[in-house]
Amino acid sequence: MYTTLGALLGLLLAIWLIINKIHPVYGLMTGALAGGLAGGLSLIETVNVMVDGVRDVSPAVIRILSAGVLSGVLIETGAAAKISNTIILRLGRKHIYLALSFATFLLCAVGVFIDVAVITVAPIALSIQQRLDIPTSFLLLAMIGGGKSGNIISPNPNTIIAAENFNTDLSSVMFAGIIPAFIGLVMTMILVEWISQKKQVSKEFVFEVKDKSHEQLTLWSSLMAPLVTIVLLALRPLFGVVIDPLIALPLGGVAGILSIRCWKKVPQILELGLQKMAPVATLLIGTGTIAGVIKNSDLNSFLLWFLNYCHLSDSIVAPVSGALMSAATASTTAGAMLASASFADTLISVGIPGVWGALMVNAGATVLDHLPHGSFFHTTGGVCGLIFKDRLKLIPYETLIGMILAVSSALLYFFIS
């Protein structure tokens, strides 16, 4: 009980520091140190536990850095913008919410960070808002809901780290989440339509692409990088051919470079990809320290006891832990990392397959990753020009979308098992 309270105190201290604008990496490291000491460990033991936690996440860090090649290709070459623009043009003004949701859904599903996906699609949404009588907040909610749904089936850091900690392959986790992801996408559409009260379009809308620097790209060349990546990852569950994400993700990026013929931009692509992934890698180091303390405490056993006391299934730990850790860090990646690193062994020991444990943790991490003490809240609000008060009003709806993803993932596991 003493070590459990220490881990809880350390986690609460980390949350308090993050809320008070301390960088999450240092906040988590400070919380880990305080939690170990408060839990009864000596200073040397606490440091060793923190280092062991970082050692556990190091394979995921390497894979996440390699994913920067794919991410850099999609963003630097304009492939992500081409994909989103094409979707908006094809679906047209009668399906604006669906177009925005599906655009961010697809961008996240092929490996673009959710905040980058929203930033990519946001200029289109603002162009729509200027021509139609639709509040910007509705358009932003459509983009966020689509992004959250696509994020649970993407080769993004949150999925990579969850699969790594549950010792399962990334492609299996991605494929297992397809049904919950599409449920989340459909429910996003229903929710946005409901809160907008089916507001009628009052003006004719003609979509214009203001940034025409990527007009020379074709849709197929833009899709080549994610398609090759997905095919390589699919070889393991379909044919038993194992290609690690460490290889598949960069190879997908190389295929994109060859199809777009942008080899002159390779240095810029690699630089941008590293810039996008480096903050995530350092964040995982911080989360690894506190995850090491939590793993060496009795917190997971205490949580299982509490669920049994309340007559709830042990498997509820997966989505609940993902949601709680995402609330603590206001980050999908950090939430999935903390929850999977802390509870993976426990969940596997009670009979939950690694694929489903990883999926439920990953889906649970979307429930509260948008809280104001994280960057996602401010980035998405700022790019759409929403004031703090208006951005705050979207939190209940974002939480509901995340809960739909988590609940549908859990129900799918219960149905299959």
Side-chain angles (χ1 to χ4, degrees), residues 256-294:
I257 292 171
L258 294 176
S259 66
I260 299 173
R261 300 179 182 178
C262 57
W263 36 79
K264 292 183 179 180
K265 287 188 174 182
V266 169
Q268 296 95 311
I269 288 170
L270 297 179
E271 180 68 23
L272 178 63
L274 187 59
Q275 288 177 3
K276 295 295 181 184
M277 296 300 171
V280 179
T282 55
L283 178 63
L284 288 183
I285 292 173
T287 55
T289 60
I290 197 165
V293 173
I294 294 174

Side-chain angles (χ1 to χ4, degrees), residues 312-319 352-353 356 359-360 406-417:
L312 296 174
S313 172
D314 292 343
S315 59
I316 298 297
V317 171
I352 297 175
W356 293 103
L359 172 61
M360 289 189 286
V407 170
S408 59
S409 299
L411 290 176
L412 182 62
Y413 165 67
F414 292 143
F415 175 77
I416 290 178
S417 63

Side-chain angles (χ1 to χ4, degrees), residues 142-361:
M143 291 186 286
I144 290 174
K148 282 179 177 284
S149 301
N151 208 22
I152 68 171
I153 57 171
S154 71
N156 271 338
N158 49 291
T159 317
I160 293 173
I161 191 67
E164 183 70 30
N165 284 331
F166 276 92
N167 196 28
T168 188
D169 61 285
L170 175 63
S171 56
S172 296
V173 179
M174 292 167 59
F175 289 130
I178 289 176
I179 293 177
F182 276 99
I183 291 174
L185 180 64
V186 172
M187 293 306 296
T188 295
M189 296 308 308
I190 295 174
L191 180 61
V192 176
E193 290 288 349
W194 176 70
I195 66 170
S196 64
Q197 298 178 349
K198 301 185 183 297
K199 195 176 185 73
Q200 296 298 318
V201 175
S202 61
K203 303 176 185 178
E204 184 69 18
F205 168 61
V206 179
F207 175 63
E208 297 178 1
V209 181
K210 294 183 178 180
D211 182 4
K212 299 183 179 181
S213 60
H214 310 303
E215 281 188 340
Q216 73 278 9
L217 295 181
T218 65
L219 179 61
W220 284 111
S221 64
S222 300
L223 286 171
M224 186 56 64
L227 284 176
V228 169
T229 302
I230 292 171
V231 168
L232 291 175
L233 292 174
L235 292 177
R236 178 169 182 169
L238 294 178
F239 305 108
V241 178
V242 180
I243 299 182
D244 195 276
L246 180 65
I247 305 300
L249 294 168
L251 281 181
V254 172
I257 292 171
L258 294 176
S259 66
I260 299 173
R261 300 179 182 178
C262 57
W263 36 79
K264 292 183 179 180
K265 287 188 174 182
V266 169
Q268 296 95 311
I269 288 170
L270 297 179
E271 180 68 23
L272 178 63
L274 187 59
Q275 288 177 3
K276 295 295 181 184
M277 296 300 171
V280 179
T282 55
L283 178 63
L284 288 183
I285 292 173
T287 55
T289 60
I290 197 165
V293 173
I294 294 174
K295 282 185 68 174
N296 282 273
S297 72
D298 298 322
L299 181 59
N300 48 9
S301 300
F302 175 78
L303 186 56
L304 288 175
W305 170 84
F306 179 76
L307 290 174
N308 289 327
Y309 179 79
C310 297
H311 303 290
L312 296 174
S313 172
D314 292 343
S315 59
I316 298 297
V317 171
V320 169
S321 63
L324 292 177
M325 297 307 176
S326 70
T329 59
S331 166
T332 315
T333 301
M337 157 62 207
L338 270 176
S340 58
S342 303
F343 298 101
D345 293 341
T346 302
L347 290 169
I348 292 173
S349 69
V350 297
I352 297 175
V355 171
W356 293 103
L359 172 61
M360 289 189 286
V361 164

Side-chain angles (χ1 to χ4, degrees), residues 63-124:
R63 291 180 174 88
I64 287 169
L65 289 176
S66 71
V69 180
L70 175 63
S71 180
V73 169
L74 290 171
I75 299 170
E76 178 65 25
T77 64
K82 179 66 178 182
I83 294 169
S84 62
N85 291 346
T86 303
I87 292 171
I88 304 296
L89 283 168
R90 296 290 173 84
L91 292 178
R93 73 175 182 88
K94 292 184 178 180
H95 307 286
I96 290 302
Y97 294 141
L98 173 61
L100 294 174
S101 293
F102 189 67
T104 51
F105 173 89
L106 188 59
L107 290 179
C108 287
V110 299
V112 178
F113 281 13
I114 184 171
D115 53 349
V116 176
V118 173
I119 291 171
T120 301
V121 182
I124 305 172

Side-chain angles (χ1 to χ4, degrees), residues 12-22 327-328 372-374:
L12 290 174
L13 175 60
I15 295 170
W16 182 82
L17 291 172
I18 293 171
I19 292 175
N20 284 275
K21 309 302 181 183
I22 300 297
H373 58 283

